[in-house]
Amino acid sequence: MVNAYLLQRLTAIQQVLLAHKSGSVGLPSAVAGAERETFLREFLEKIFPAHRRFSSGAITDAEGNISGQVDIAIEFGFSPSFPMPNASQRLLLAESVAAVVEVKSDLQSQWSEVVGTTAAVKRLRRNLNAVTIAGDSDPTHYIPVIAVGYAGHSTTEGLAARLSSTAEADRPDGALVIQSGCFVGFGMTASGPTGLYALALSIDVLFRQLISARPDLQHYVQ
């Protein structure tokens, strides 16, 4: 049975997110996109404890590969990342990133952009040297990607089909459409307001999967 109070809160959050998207209609695409990404990042920051950081920028690995711009990088919280003074964009080391969230206005029409970002992120390799693992499986050597669209697929079946028809190397590990609430990924499906809950649970699973690690970050400068 769904908790009525939680459902009421999730419904309100969903409506606010969609209202924010409506407020950016007609603005230049770069401005509207930045606003959507910032608003979603701030929403996630308020859900999780303060020591979890949600950043924007680019990710590099010890082999010298780089992701390009990512909308939201979810940091584990036990490794450094490097902003320029008085700037918000960070250069993140692959070992510091738990997952990436790619934010789009419409997940269906912009799927090719999602695929491009996912491929660039997943080619990075992180050597975590995990110390304490709490999940059912070890953390992957690649960085998981979650695609979020304000609009897009109206059914979980359609969203699941889109994911399954995408090559594995280019495929996000999960996807959410805020308008319909459809979520698929990490062994979960949801629709309506509970899609936001599934997104939060998926990120929580990735956080809890790895309690502590000792990555050898000296490889970046040797």
Side-chain angles (χ1 to χ4, degrees), residues 157-203:
E157 292 81 8
L159 186 57
R162 171 70 77 171
L163 286 166
S164 63
S165 65
T166 303
E168 185 175 359
D170 306 334
R171 182 192 307 153
D173 299 85
L176 167 70
V177 177
I178 295 173
Q179 188 173 54
S180 64
C182 291
F183 179 91
V184 176
F186 302 94
M188 292 182 283
T189 60
S191 60
T194 57
L196 288 168
Y197 191 58
L199 172 67
L201 289 183
S202 299
I203 295 171

mmCIF file of all heavy atoms in Angstrom, residues 157-203:
data_model
loop_
_atom_site.group_PDB
_atom_site.id
_atom_site.type_symbol
_atom_site.label_atom_id
_atom_site.label_comp_id
_atom_site.label_asym_id
_atom_site.label_seq_id
_atom_site.Cartn_x
_atom_site.Cartn_y
_atom_site.Cartn_z
ATOM 1 N N GLU A 157 6.520 0.521 -20.725
ATOM 2 C CA GLU A 157 6.839 -0.424 -21.800
ATOM 3 C C GLU A 157 7.609 0.266 -22.929
ATOM 4 O O GLU A 157 8.600 -0.271 -23.439
ATOM 5 C CB GLU A 157 5.564 -1.064 -22.358
ATOM 6 C CG GLU A 157 4.848 -2.007 -21.397
ATOM 7 C CD GLU A 157 3.979 -1.279 -20.381
ATOM 8 O OE1 GLU A 157 3.808 -0.046 -20.498
ATOM 9 O OE2 GLU A 157 3.479 -1.950 -19.456
ATOM 10 N N GLY A 158 7.148 1.467 -23.297
ATOM 11 C CA GLY A 158 7.836 2.209 -24.344
ATOM 12 C C GLY A 158 9.232 2.622 -23.924
ATOM 13 O O GLY A 158 10.184 2.558 -24.720
ATOM 14 N N LEU A 159 9.366 3.046 -22.678
ATOM 15 C CA LEU A 159 10.679 3.449 -22.175
ATOM 16 C C LEU A 159 11.615 2.249 -22.095
ATOM 17 O O LEU A 159 12.798 2.342 -22.456
ATOM 18 C CB LEU A 159 10.515 4.102 -20.797
ATOM 19 C CG LEU A 159 11.762 4.710 -20.168
ATOM 20 C CD1 LEU A 159 12.397 5.757 -21.074
ATOM 21 C CD2 LEU A 159 11.418 5.336 -18.807
ATOM 22 N N ALA A 160 11.111 1.113 -21.625
ATOM 23 C CA ALA A 160 11.922 -0.099 -21.547
ATOM 24 C C ALA A 160 12.373 -0.548 -22.935
ATOM 25 O O ALA A 160 13.520 -0.985 -23.122
ATOM 26 C CB ALA A 160 11.139 -1.212 -20.855
ATOM 27 N N ALA A 161 11.470 -0.426 -23.926
ATOM 28 C CA ALA A 161 11.821 -0.803 -25.295
ATOM 29 C C ALA A 161 12.920 0.101 -25.838
ATOM 30 O O ALA A 161 13.826 -0.353 -26.552
ATOM 31 C CB ALA A 161 10.583 -0.746 -26.190
ATOM 32 N N ARG A 162 12.833 1.391 -25.527
ATOM 33 C CA ARG A 162 13.872 2.326 -25.968
ATOM 34 C C ARG A 162 15.228 1.946 -25.370
ATOM 35 O O ARG A 162 16.250 1.940 -26.064
ATOM 36 C CB ARG A 162 13.493 3.743 -25.540
ATOM 37 C CG ARG A 162 14.580 4.775 -25.755
ATOM 38 C CD ARG A 162 14.819 5.080 -27.215
ATOM 39 N NE ARG A 162 13.787 5.948 -27.742
ATOM 40 C CZ ARG A 162 13.829 6.522 -28.950
ATOM 41 N NH1 ARG A 162 14.865 6.312 -29.729
ATOM 42 N NH2 ARG A 162 12.842 7.277 -29.360
ATOM 43 N N LEU A 163 15.248 1.611 -24.105
ATOM 44 C CA LEU A 163 16.499 1.219 -23.460
ATOM 45 C C LEU A 163 17.046 -0.073 -24.059
ATOM 46 O O LEU A 163 18.234 -0.169 -24.392
ATOM 47 C CB LEU A 163 16.282 1.055 -21.957
ATOM 48 C CG LEU A 163 16.115 2.351 -21.154
ATOM 49 C CD1 LEU A 163 15.563 2.052 -19.762
ATOM 50 C CD2 LEU A 163 17.450 3.086 -21.036
ATOM 51 N N SER A 164 16.187 -1.074 -24.197
ATOM 52 C CA SER A 164 16.660 -2.384 -24.661
ATOM 53 C C SER A 164 17.127 -2.352 -26.109
ATOM 54 O O SER A 164 17.967 -3.165 -26.514
ATOM 55 C CB SER A 164 15.565 -3.434 -24.481
ATOM 56 O OG SER A 164 14.434 -3.130 -25.274
ATOM 57 N N SER A 165 16.607 -1.413 -26.908
ATOM 58 C CA SER A 165 17.006 -1.318 -28.314
ATOM 59 C C SER A 165 18.286 -0.514 -28.510
ATOM 60 O O SER A 165 18.787 -0.399 -29.634
ATOM 61 C CB SER A 165 15.881 -0.683 -29.137
ATOM 62 O OG SER A 165 15.658 0.668 -28.756
ATOM 63 N N THR A 166 18.826 0.023 -27.429
ATOM 64 C CA THR A 166 20.060 0.809 -27.480
ATOM 65 C C THR A 166 21.247 -0.087 -27.152
ATOM 66 O O THR A 166 21.185 -0.883 -26.215
ATOM 67 C CB THR A 166 20.002 1.978 -26.487
ATOM 68 O OG1 THR A 166 18.850 2.786 -26.783
ATOM 69 C CG2 THR A 166 21.249 2.842 -26.570
ATOM 70 N N ALA A 167 22.314 0.029 -27.910
ATOM 71 C CA ALA A 167 23.508 -0.781 -27.674
ATOM 72 C C ALA A 167 23.987 -0.625 -26.234
ATOM 73 O O ALA A 167 23.934 0.475 -25.665
ATOM 74 C CB ALA A 167 24.609 -0.381 -28.653
ATOM 75 N N GLU A 168 24.467 -1.717 -25.661
ATOM 76 C CA GLU A 168 24.809 -1.725 -24.238
ATOM 77 C C GLU A 168 25.825 -0.647 -23.878
ATOM 78 O O GLU A 168 25.710 0.001 -22.835
ATOM 79 C CB GLU A 168 25.340 -3.098 -23.837
ATOM 80 C CG GLU A 168 25.608 -3.240 -22.354
ATOM 81 C CD GLU A 168 26.026 -4.645 -21.958
ATOM 82 O OE1 GLU A 168 26.090 -5.516 -22.842
ATOM 83 O OE2 GLU A 168 26.296 -4.861 -20.753
ATOM 84 N N ALA A 169 26.812 -0.438 -24.718
ATOM 85 C CA ALA A 169 27.856 0.547 -24.418
ATOM 86 C C ALA A 169 27.329 1.970 -24.420
ATOM 87 O O ALA A 169 27.949 2.868 -23.838
ATOM 88 C CB ALA A 169 28.997 0.426 -25.426
ATOM 89 N N ASP A 170 26.178 2.187 -25.079
ATOM 90 C CA ASP A 170 25.590 3.526 -25.197
ATOM 91 C C ASP A 170 24.335 3.687 -24.352
ATOM 92 O O ASP A 170 23.697 4.732 -24.403
ATOM 93 C CB ASP A 170 25.214 3.808 -26.657
ATOM 94 C CG ASP A 170 26.373 3.599 -27.613
ATOM 95 O OD1 ASP A 170 27.531 3.726 -27.171
ATOM 96 O OD2 ASP A 170 26.116 3.306 -28.795
ATOM 97 N N ARG A 171 23.956 2.651 -23.612
ATOM 98 C CA ARG A 171 22.653 2.595 -22.945
ATOM 99 C C ARG A 171 22.721 3.120 -21.513
ATOM 100 O O ARG A 171 23.531 2.653 -20.719
ATOM 101 C CB ARG A 171 22.157 1.154 -22.921
ATOM 102 C CG ARG A 171 20.773 0.965 -22.290
ATOM 103 C CD ARG A 171 20.520 -0.520 -22.051
ATOM 104 N NE ARG A 171 20.721 -1.280 -23.281
ATOM 105 C CZ ARG A 171 21.080 -2.558 -23.289
ATOM 106 N NH1 ARG A 171 21.283 -3.220 -22.158
ATOM 107 N NH2 ARG A 171 21.251 -3.178 -24.452
ATOM 108 N N PRO A 172 21.860 4.078 -21.147
ATOM 109 C CA PRO A 172 21.778 4.474 -19.741
ATOM 110 C C PRO A 172 21.339 3.291 -18.872
ATOM 111 O O PRO A 172 20.629 2.394 -19.330
ATOM 112 C CB PRO A 172 20.715 5.582 -19.735
ATOM 113 C CG PRO A 172 20.614 6.043 -21.149
ATOM 114 C CD PRO A 172 20.932 4.855 -21.998
ATOM 115 N N ASP A 173 21.751 3.305 -17.627
ATOM 116 C CA ASP A 173 21.379 2.227 -16.708
ATOM 117 C C ASP A 173 19.953 2.398 -16.188
ATOM 118 O O ASP A 173 19.354 1.441 -15.698
ATOM 119 C CB ASP A 173 22.367 2.196 -15.536
ATOM 120 C CG ASP A 173 23.779 1.934 -16.014
ATOM 121 O OD1 ASP A 173 24.474 2.894 -16.393
ATOM 122 O OD2 ASP A 173 24.188 0.762 -16.042
ATOM 123 N N GLY A 174 19.438 3.598 -16.285
ATOM 124 C CA GLY A 174 18.062 3.873 -15.886
ATOM 125 C C GLY A 174 17.576 5.125 -16.581
ATOM 126 O O GLY A 174 18.377 5.919 -17.095
ATOM 127 N N ALA A 175 16.247 5.296 -16.634
ATOM 128 C CA ALA A 175 15.681 6.478 -17.294
ATOM 129 C C ALA A 175 14.367 6.856 -16.622
ATOM 130 O O ALA A 175 13.596 5.988 -16.200
ATOM 131 C CB ALA A 175 15.467 6.219 -18.778
ATOM 132 N N LEU A 176 14.124 8.169 -16.534
ATOM 133 C CA LEU A 176 12.904 8.712 -15.943
ATOM 134 C C LEU A 176 12.333 9.780 -16.856
ATOM 135 O O LEU A 176 13.063 10.622 -17.378
ATOM 136 C CB LEU A 176 13.200 9.333 -14.565
ATOM 137 C CG LEU A 176 12.094 10.205 -13.955
ATOM 138 C CD1 LEU A 176 10.904 9.348 -13.524
ATOM 139 C CD2 LEU A 176 12.627 11.018 -12.778
ATOM 140 N N VAL A 177 11.019 9.748 -17.032
ATOM 141 C CA VAL A 177 10.284 10.848 -17.686
ATOM 142 C C VAL A 177 9.439 11.512 -16.605
ATOM 143 O O VAL A 177 8.544 10.888 -16.038
ATOM 144 C CB VAL A 177 9.392 10.328 -18.832
ATOM 145 C CG1 VAL A 177 8.596 11.485 -19.429
ATOM 146 C CG2 VAL A 177 10.233 9.645 -19.904
ATOM 147 N N ILE A 178 9.725 12.758 -16.285
ATOM 148 C CA ILE A 178 9.067 13.425 -15.163
ATOM 149 C C ILE A 178 7.574 13.602 -15.424
ATOM 150 O O ILE A 178 6.745 13.403 -14.528
ATOM 151 C CB ILE A 178 9.735 14.791 -14.875
ATOM 152 C CG1 ILE A 178 11.181 14.569 -14.405
ATOM 153 C CG2 ILE A 178 8.953 15.567 -13.827
ATOM 154 C CD1 ILE A 178 11.987 15.842 -14.257
ATOM 155 N N GLN A 179 7.190 13.965 -16.635
ATOM 156 C CA GLN A 179 5.784 14.251 -16.936
ATOM 157 C C GLN A 179 4.893 13.040 -16.697
ATOM 158 O O GLN A 179 3.831 13.140 -16.062
ATOM 159 C CB GLN A 179 5.652 14.731 -18.373
ATOM 160 C CG GLN A 179 4.263 15.237 -18.738
ATOM 161 C CD GLN A 179 4.250 15.849 -20.128
ATOM 162 O OE1 GLN A 179 4.658 15.224 -21.111
ATOM 163 N NE2 GLN A 179 3.824 17.095 -20.214
ATOM 164 N N SER A 180 5.283 11.884 -17.197
ATOM 165 C CA SER A 180 4.492 10.662 -17.010
ATOM 166 C C SER A 180 4.878 9.913 -15.738
ATOM 167 O O SER A 180 4.130 9.060 -15.269
ATOM 168 C CB SER A 180 4.666 9.733 -18.217
ATOM 169 O OG SER A 180 6.018 9.305 -18.325
ATOM 170 N N GLY A 181 6.062 10.228 -15.214
ATOM 171 C CA GLY A 181 6.558 9.506 -14.049
ATOM 172 C C GLY A 181 7.122 8.147 -14.381
ATOM 173 O O GLY A 181 7.474 7.387 -13.473
ATOM 174 N N CYS A 182 7.240 7.805 -15.656
ATOM 175 C CA CYS A 182 7.749 6.488 -16.042
ATOM 176 C C CYS A 182 9.233 6.364 -15.699
ATOM 177 O O CYS A 182 10.047 7.217 -16.090
ATOM 178 C CB CYS A 182 7.552 6.261 -17.537
ATOM 179 S SG CYS A 182 5.825 6.074 -18.004
ATOM 180 N N PHE A 183 9.555 5.316 -14.980
ATOM 181 C CA PHE A 183 10.947 5.030 -14.629
ATOM 182 C C PHE A 183 11.227 3.568 -14.916
ATOM 183 O O PHE A 183 10.432 2.687 -14.586
ATOM 184 C CB PHE A 183 11.217 5.310 -13.141
ATOM 185 C CG PHE A 183 12.648 4.998 -12.749
ATOM 186 C CD1 PHE A 183 13.618 5.977 -12.822
ATOM 187 C CD2 PHE A 183 13.022 3.724 -12.334
ATOM 188 C CE1 PHE A 183 14.942 5.692 -12.495
ATOM 189 C CE2 PHE A 183 14.332 3.430 -12.005
ATOM 190 C CZ PHE A 183 15.297 4.418 -12.080
ATOM 191 N N VAL A 184 12.395 3.316 -15.515
ATOM 192 C CA VAL A 184 12.861 1.952 -15.766
ATOM 193 C C VAL A 184 14.352 1.906 -15.468
ATOM 194 O O VAL A 184 15.109 2.756 -15.941
ATOM 195 C CB VAL A 184 12.613 1.517 -17.227
ATOM 196 C CG1 VAL A 184 13.196 0.126 -17.483
ATOM 197 C CG2 VAL A 184 11.130 1.534 -17.563
ATOM 198 N N GLY A 185 14.767 0.913 -14.688
ATOM 199 C CA GLY A 185 16.190 0.745 -14.428
ATOM 200 C C GLY A 185 16.467 0.218 -13.039
ATOM 201 O O GLY A 185 15.628 0.324 -12.143
ATOM 202 N N PHE A 186 17.653 -0.374 -12.874
ATOM 203 C CA PHE A 186 18.108 -0.877 -11.587
ATOM 204 C C PHE A 186 17.107 -1.866 -10.978
ATOM 205 O O PHE A 186 16.882 -1.887 -9.766
ATOM 206 C CB PHE A 186 18.385 0.277 -10.618
ATOM 207 C CG PHE A 186 19.404 1.254 -11.135
ATOM 208 C CD1 PHE A 186 19.003 2.400 -11.814
ATOM 209 C CD2 PHE A 186 20.758 1.025 -10.974
ATOM 210 C CE1 PHE A 186 19.937 3.298 -12.319
ATOM 211 C CE2 PHE A 186 21.693 1.917 -11.481
ATOM 212 C CZ PHE A 186 21.297 3.048 -12.146
ATOM 213 N N GLY A 187 16.472 -2.655 -11.836
ATOM 214 C CA GLY A 187 15.523 -3.654 -11.374
ATOM 215 C C GLY A 187 14.184 -3.103 -10.951
ATOM 216 O O GLY A 187 13.378 -3.827 -10.355
ATOM 217 N N MET A 188 13.906 -1.840 -11.264
ATOM 218 C CA MET A 188 12.654 -1.210 -10.851
ATOM 219 C C MET A 188 11.913 -0.639 -12.055
ATOM 220 O O MET A 188 12.530 -0.211 -13.027
ATOM 221 C CB MET A 188 12.913 -0.071 -9.859
ATOM 222 C CG MET A 188 13.427 -0.505 -8.511
ATOM 223 S SD MET A 188 13.640 0.919 -7.382
ATOM 224 C CE MET A 188 15.176 1.595 -8.034
ATOM 225 N N THR A 189 10.589 -0.622 -11.958
ATOM 226 C CA THR A 189 9.752 0.142 -12.881
ATOM 227 C C THR A 189 8.738 0.906 -12.036
ATOM 228 O O THR A 189 8.302 0.423 -10.980
ATOM 229 C CB THR A 189 9.009 -0.757 -13.889
ATOM 230 O OG1 THR A 189 8.173 -1.672 -13.171
ATOM 231 C CG2 THR A 189 9.989 -1.512 -14.768
ATOM 232 N N ALA A 190 8.361 2.083 -12.494
ATOM 233 C CA ALA A 190 7.386 2.898 -11.778
ATOM 234 C C ALA A 190 6.752 3.861 -12.751
ATOM 235 O O ALA A 190 7.282 4.106 -13.846
ATOM 236 C CB ALA A 190 8.053 3.657 -10.632
ATOM 237 N N SER A 191 5.615 4.418 -12.371
ATOM 238 C CA SER A 191 4.965 5.447 -13.179
ATOM 239 C C SER A 191 4.212 6.391 -12.269
ATOM 240 O O SER A 191 3.949 6.068 -11.103
ATOM 241 C CB SER A 191 4.014 4.827 -14.213
ATOM 242 O OG SER A 191 3.001 4.078 -13.572
ATOM 243 N N GLY A 192 3.874 7.572 -12.797
ATOM 244 C CA GLY A 192 3.226 8.571 -11.963
ATOM 245 C C GLY A 192 4.224 9.190 -10.991
ATOM 246 O O GLY A 192 5.436 9.115 -11.199
ATOM 247 N N PRO A 193 3.750 9.774 -9.913
ATOM 248 C CA PRO A 193 4.638 10.428 -8.953
ATOM 249 C C PRO A 193 5.708 9.500 -8.368
ATOM 250 O O PRO A 193 6.775 9.966 -7.974
ATOM 251 C CB PRO A 193 3.681 10.920 -7.859
ATOM 252 C CG PRO A 193 2.366 11.058 -8.549
ATOM 253 C CD PRO A 193 2.322 9.965 -9.570
ATOM 254 N N THR A 194 5.425 8.184 -8.324
ATOM 255 C CA THR A 194 6.408 7.271 -7.722
ATOM 256 C C THR A 194 7.645 7.093 -8.594
ATOM 257 O O THR A 194 8.640 6.519 -8.145
ATOM 258 C CB THR A 194 5.778 5.887 -7.443
ATOM 259 O OG1 THR A 194 5.241 5.354 -8.669
ATOM 260 C CG2 THR A 194 4.676 5.998 -6.413
ATOM 261 N N GLY A 195 7.607 7.594 -9.841
ATOM 262 C CA GLY A 195 8.814 7.561 -10.653
ATOM 263 C C GLY A 195 9.942 8.365 -10.026
ATOM 264 O O GLY A 195 11.115 7.966 -10.079
ATOM 265 N N LEU A 196 9.607 9.503 -9.417
ATOM 266 C CA LEU A 196 10.616 10.297 -8.712
ATOM 267 C C LEU A 196 11.190 9.530 -7.526
ATOM 268 O O LEU A 196 12.377 9.636 -7.210
ATOM 269 C CB LEU A 196 10.001 11.615 -8.244
ATOM 270 C CG LEU A 196 9.696 12.645 -9.333
ATOM 271 C CD1 LEU A 196 8.822 13.760 -8.776
ATOM 272 C CD2 LEU A 196 10.986 13.214 -9.895
ATOM 273 N N TYR A 197 10.347 8.760 -6.873
ATOM 274 C CA TYR A 197 10.802 7.943 -5.748
ATOM 275 C C TYR A 197 11.766 6.866 -6.240
ATOM 276 O O TYR A 197 12.803 6.603 -5.616
ATOM 277 C CB TYR A 197 9.598 7.304 -5.061
ATOM 278 C CG TYR A 197 9.890 6.652 -3.731
ATOM 279 C CD1 TYR A 197 10.439 7.376 -2.692
ATOM 280 C CD2 TYR A 197 9.594 5.305 -3.526
ATOM 281 C CE1 TYR A 197 10.692 6.777 -1.458
ATOM 282 C CE2 TYR A 197 9.848 4.695 -2.307
ATOM 283 C CZ TYR A 197 10.391 5.445 -1.274
ATOM 284 O OH TYR A 197 10.650 4.850 -0.070
ATOM 285 N N ALA A 198 11.447 6.253 -7.385
ATOM 286 C CA ALA A 198 12.326 5.241 -7.962
ATOM 287 C C ALA A 198 13.680 5.847 -8.340
ATOM 288 O O ALA A 198 14.727 5.205 -8.167
ATOM 289 C CB ALA A 198 11.670 4.598 -9.181
ATOM 290 N N LEU A 199 13.674 7.080 -8.843
ATOM 291 C CA LEU A 199 14.935 7.763 -9.143
ATOM 292 C C LEU A 199 15.766 7.927 -7.881
ATOM 293 O O LEU A 199 16.968 7.621 -7.863
ATOM 294 C CB LEU A 199 14.649 9.128 -9.764
ATOM 295 C CG LEU A 199 15.869 10.040 -9.963
ATOM 296 C CD1 LEU A 199 16.814 9.464 -11.009
ATOM 297 C CD2 LEU A 199 15.431 11.451 -10.363
ATOM 298 N N ALA A 200 15.136 8.396 -6.806
ATOM 299 C CA ALA A 200 15.852 8.584 -5.547
ATOM 300 C C ALA A 200 16.376 7.259 -5.005
ATOM 301 O O ALA A 200 17.509 7.183 -4.512
ATOM 302 C CB ALA A 200 14.931 9.258 -4.523
ATOM 303 N N LEU A 201 15.575 6.208 -5.095
ATOM 304 C CA LEU A 201 16.012 4.903 -4.612
ATOM 305 C C LEU A 201 17.192 4.375 -5.419
ATOM 306 O O LEU A 201 18.117 3.768 -4.862
ATOM 307 C CB LEU A 201 14.858 3.898 -4.675
ATOM 308 C CG LEU A 201 13.717 4.075 -3.672
ATOM 309 C CD1 LEU A 201 12.701 2.942 -3.839
ATOM 310 C CD2 LEU A 201 14.238 4.088 -2.238
ATOM 311 N N SER A 202 17.181 4.606 -6.724
ATOM 312 C CA SER A 202 18.279 4.143 -7.573
ATOM 313 C C SER A 202 19.590 4.815 -7.194
ATOM 314 O O SER A 202 20.636 4.162 -7.109
ATOM 315 C CB SER A 202 17.958 4.416 -9.044
ATOM 316 O OG SER A 202 16.808 3.726 -9.440
ATOM 317 N N ILE A 203 19.524 6.116 -6.976
ATOM 318 C CA ILE A 203 20.728 6.839 -6.554
ATOM 319 C C ILE A 203 21.171 6.356 -5.177
ATOM 320 O O ILE A 203 22.371 6.170 -4.913
ATOM 321 C CB ILE A 203 20.462 8.356 -6.555
ATOM 322 C CG1 ILE A 203 20.196 8.834 -7.988
ATOM 323 C CG2 ILE A 203 21.634 9.120 -5.946
ATOM 324 C CD1 ILE A 203 19.722 10.270 -8.084
#
